Amino acid sequence: MRRTQQDRSAGTKAALVAAARELFAARGYQAVPADEITRAAGVTRGALYHHYADKQGLFRAVVEELERELTEEVRAAFAAGGDPLAGMLQGLGVFLDACLREEVRRISLTDAPAVLGWDVWREIEAEYGLGLIVTVLEQARADGLIVELPVRALAQLVLSAVMEAARMIAAADDPARTRAEVQQVLGGWLASLLRSPQPPAGSSAAALPTPSPGTGRRSAGSR
């Protein structure tokens, strides 16, 4: 069966992205010339500029492909979590593990902000990650698992914190140790959003009086 022009075009783009992704992951954006990418992809230089404005445009396509794959990995972890909060913690672990991969560290976390600019990088991260976080938080709120907060604002802050954690891992001398530290901090923060369980009516905990201000702790003047 003869390939259509659309099939050939899609094949050329896929070959360029695959070749560029491998080379960018191995050596970084600046160290890879466009001619080397086209040779590795088995296409002409004209094909590169036909499908992408320049090498930077191809790099963005690589970044977006990587982000789509990471989002699907995290989405699967969320779905396997059993409930929204467990899924969020599981998804966080999967994402932070991905940040230890050399490909992710070099392409998504190191080169992408520098090559594409901070604003464009954040737009891409928001496009692929924000919607997933909003969905999980909305479900958690609907299930009564988290405190009542504006979900969209909370999701933006969660995304910002997670991406800063990813950058910390990418820049760390000991990425594995940093990954463990940021998961401890972020996990504690997410856990703090949980609603406090209400004790059953008639239980001893329910009968305890509410402490008056200052009870059980020193006042500011006693420090």
Side-chain angles (χ1 to χ4, degrees):
M1 184 170 58
R2 294 182 61 185
R3 298 177 67 201
T4 65
Q5 179 59 38
Q6 186 175 5
D7 291 336
R8 289 193 292 271
S9 178
T12 299
K13 291 177 72 174
L16 282 165
V17 170
R21 179 170 170 171
E22 182 175 351
L23 291 167
F24 291 151
R27 303 209 310 273
Y29 176 85
Q30 297 295 347
V32 179
D35 286 344
E36 184 174 358
I37 297 171
T38 57
R39 285 196 303 271
V43 302
T44 65
R45 188 181 181 93
L48 167 62
Y49 294 113
H50 173 73
H51 293 290
Y52 302 99
D54 49 25
K55 188 178 81 165
Q56 186 183 83
L58 176 57
F59 178 76
R60 176 167 182 161
V62 170
V63 172
E64 290 181 339
E65 179 181 81
L66 191 51
E67 289 302 316
R68 281 193 297 270
E69 292 175 6
L70 287 175
T71 299
E72 287 310 309
E73 288 183 42
V74 174
R75 190 188 307 278
F78 279 152
D83 66 64
L85 261 297
M88 183 172 290
L89 293 174
Q90 193 160 305
L92 173 63
V94 167
F95 177 76
L96 295 179
D97 282 342
C99 293
L100 295 174
R101 300 177 201 162
E102 186 58 29
E103 178 184 53
V104 174
R105 291 179 64 200
R106 188 185 290 273
I107 294 176
S108 291
L109 303 177
T110 302
D111 281 351
V115 174
L116 302 177
W118 184 262
D119 289 341
V120 172
W121 178 67
R122 290 304 300 268
E123 285 174 10
I124 293 172
E125 294 295 339
E127 179 181 353
Y128 291 99
L130 184 61
L132 182 56
I133 294 172
V134 168
T135 297
V136 173
L137 289 175
E138 285 180 339
Q139 185 60 56
R141 190 174 67 174
D143 291 347
L145 297 174
I146 61 173
V147 295
E148 287 289 333
L149 291 170
V151 166
R152 192 80 184 181
L154 178 58
Q156 288 275 10
L157 292 172
V158 169
L159 178 64
S160 295
V162 169
M163 293 316 303
E164 181 59 26
R167 293 274 290 162
M168 289 170 64
I169 293 170
D173 293 330
D174 186 346
R177 178 179 177 179
T178 302
R179 179 245 179 275
E181 290 174 348
V182 297
Q183 177 154 18
Q184 181 181 5
V185 173
L186 288 174
W189 178 42
L190 293 175
S192 73
L193 300 175
L194 288 168
R195 284 184 179 278
S196 299
Q198 297 299 316
S203 69
S204 58
L208 290 174
T210 302
S212 59
T215 302
R217 59 188 177 92
R218 292 181 299 173
S219 66
S222 63
R223 292 178 181 171

